[in-house]
Amino acid sequence: GEDAVFAASLPALPPGVALPVDADDEPASYSPPIVISAGGTYRGNWRSLDDDVPAVRIATREPVIIERSQLAGAGRLIATDFAVGDLTVRDCTFRGQAPKDPKRARGEAIVGWGFRNLVVEHNTFIGTGTAISADEYSGDGTPANTLIVRYNRARDLNGAIAAGGRQDISFVRVVNFRGEAGNPPGAEIAWNEVVNRPGASCTECLIVLWLAGGRPDSWFAVHNNCLYGSYYPDPRTEKSTGSGLTIVGPDSERTAYIEVRDNLILNTTNAGITVAAGSNLRIHGNRIISTSRMPDGTEMPGSFVGLQVADIERDNPARVGSMHDISIVDNVFGWAHPHEAVPHPHRHDALFREGAGDVNGPNRHLSDAPITQAMQDDEHARFLERAGSADIVIGPRPGPPAR
């Protein structure tokens, strides 16, 4: 079919980067879409052939677990009705497909709209739109009502539209925390591996927190993720505004208490990390490295900076608070740029703009030498080795599949 032809035409993966071992382990057949109206544990293989119908729709407030399943389709693959979601998804594989409507983009793999509790662990996402959308937390503010995204992997997330244009998509999109209970305690995005290829994917910010964060007694932890590549459809000519990770407001008091540590961010266009709003932010121990080129050496004009801090909400009359208490220390930078010299010629490691709040250091910069594709691939390989040494299994764990 069309997807098979598309897959055969993709460019080669960067050296040392492999597709998931289960990428070709697609079930012989799928069941039609279902609506889950009662709590429990569900296993199956579901596909929707309708752009507007989710493969699985959750329509109950009772806890639902979906495990060891495969889901496919062009639209949303798992979607919760508003404010009903107490959902755990584990050990599943999600495959995005081309929409029938050429003016539409692929849908999200998991949509927690008004979620109360959302746990997404040990899954694989291949060619979907946004993998996880956590929109409008409506939980009760207890540890039983939180957001956990761990041990997942993604390949070639794709927001391109066949008729032209694109949709801004992410790996994890966490937005609109406005519930009366405040931000969730114990929220965590950790040990995920995302690899996108230029020309085979189309993404914006891979992890975005917009009007979302943690609490003074329970910070939102984003740690030990590998984010390798974020591109518009043609990185040779298009200037992306995305980043590996973005924190943005307009409420700097709610976009707060976020710890970003020990992540690996490689070759994401236009920045590695963007901090555009927020307060009480700790960003430390991250490695942010880019050649600012495609694997074949072609320059990407949209690549801008390793880390940037700028209060883009400062002129917004609806904003709440200002940026403050921002700690950026012990990070490693090596971001190539042909026209900048920070801190070395042909580098643009970091940029702290006016209104950025109180940013402190120190951080470490790679030596004054070219940033190479081999360096990026070595960093990725070391991340996988580190996960293995910690007995972390990324993606679905071995076990019986759904029948």
Side-chain angles (χ1 to χ4, degrees):
E2 291 183 6
D3 285 320
V5 173
F6 172 75
S9 68
L10 294 182
L13 284 160
V17 178
L19 284 168
V21 294
D22 56 358
D24 297 322
D25 187 26
E26 193 164 9
S29 63
Y30 288 95
S31 299
I34 63 168
V35 176
I36 294 176
S37 57
T41 299
Y42 294 80
R43 294 185 179 183
N45 299 318
W46 302 284
R47 177 171 59 189
S48 175
L49 301 177
D50 188 323
D51 295 353
D52 294 309
V53 177
V56 175
R57 175 184 152 208
I58 311 295
T60 175
R61 287 182 62 85
E62 299 171 355
V64 170
I65 298 172
I66 298 175
E67 65 178 15
R68 301 204 175 281
S69 301
Q70 302 211 36
L71 299 96
R76 294 174 169 180
L77 301 183
I78 297 178
T80 65
D81 287 0
F82 181 72
V84 307
D86 186 338
L87 174 64
T88 297
V89 183
R90 61 195 183 203
D91 300 299
C92 296
T93 298
F94 296 81
R95 292 180 173 84
Q97 298 178 341
K100 292 181 178 179
D101 183 349
K103 297 180 180 179
R104 298 182 61 159
R106 302 180 184 205
E108 302 99 323
I110 300 173
V111 183
W113 184 33
F115 73 100
R116 293 182 295 125
N117 186 59
L118 181 60
V119 178
V120 182
E121 296 182 321
H122 294 291
N123 302 286
T124 290
F125 302 89
I126 304 169
T128 68
T130 291
I132 301 113
S133 180
D135 192 342
E136 295 194 49
Y137 172 68
S138 63
D140 61 9
T142 69
N145 281 198
T146 191
L147 171 67
I148 302 292
V149 178
R150 294 186 298 208
Y151 319 130
N152 303 286
R153 63 188 173 195
R155 294 291 186 274
D156 293 336
L157 302 177
N158 197 338
I161 298 173
R166 58 178 175 75
Q167 184 176 80
D168 291 345
I169 70 163
S170 307
F171 169 60
V172 185
R173 181 175 176 269
V174 188
V175 297
N176 296 321
F177 283 5
R178 295 182 288 215
E180 294 181 1
N183 294 347
E188 184 180 22
I189 301 172
W191 289 108
N192 301 286
E193 183 211 15
V194 182
V195 178
N196 292 307
R197 288 177 287 175
S201 61
C202 175
T203 55
E204 257 278 336
C205 304
L206 296 182
I207 298 177
V208 58
L209 282 79
W210 189 92
L211 196 63
R215 305 161 73 103
D217 60 344
S218 183
W219 288 48
F220 194 130
V222 182
H223 67 92
N224 288 291
N225 299 285
C226 173
L227 307 175
Y228 193 169
S230 179
Y231 315 99
Y232 282 0
D234 188 355
R236 298 168 299 178
T237 60
E238 295 179 290
K239 292 187 177 182
S240 165
T241 58
S243 299
L245 181 143
T246 294
I247 299 171
V248 65
D251 186 336
S252 287
E253 303 307 313
R254 192 174 290 270
T255 308
Y257 303 107
I258 301 167
E259 181 182 32
V260 179
R261 63 172 174 86
D262 300 320
N263 299 285
L264 174 63
I265 301 176
L266 301 169
N267 209 233
T268 53
T269 318
N270 66 330
I273 293 178
T274 295
V275 181
S279 62
N280 293 284
L281 309 176
R282 298 174 184 163
I283 299 174
H284 60 101
N286 304 285
R287 298 181 67 83
I288 305 170
I289 297 167
S290 177
T291 64
S292 294
R293 295 178 180 273
M294 295 170 62
D296 66 1
T298 303
E299 183 179 320
M300 299 189 301
S303 186
F304 179 52
V305 69
L307 180 145
Q308 58 183 332
V309 185
D311 188 354
I312 67 168
E313 304 288 349
R314 62 183 178 275
D315 296 324
N316 182 353
R319 84 162 184 184
V320 177
S322 60
M323 296 179 72
H324 61 88
D325 290 291
I326 301 171
S327 172
I328 299 178
V329 300
D330 299 327
N331 301 284
V332 175
F333 298 110
W335 200 272
H337 194 292
H339 309 299
E340 299 287 346
V342 182
H344 308 299
H346 308 298
R347 289 268 288 279
H348 200 200
D349 287 0
L351 175 63
F352 303 103
R353 296 183 187 271
E354 183 180 357
D358 50 327
V359 177
N360 54 27
N363 297 284
R364 185 165 74 86
H365 301 267
L366 296 183
S367 63
D368 182 8
I371 307 299
T372 67
Q373 180 68 43
M375 292 169 65
Q376 291 181 159
D377 294 330
D378 287 346
E379 292 280 347
H380 178 235
R382 283 195 291 271
F383 168 83
L384 295 176
E385 291 172 0
R386 184 157 56 90
S389 297
D391 293 325
I392 299 293
V393 176
I394 297 174
R397 295 163 292 188
R403 300 295 182 188

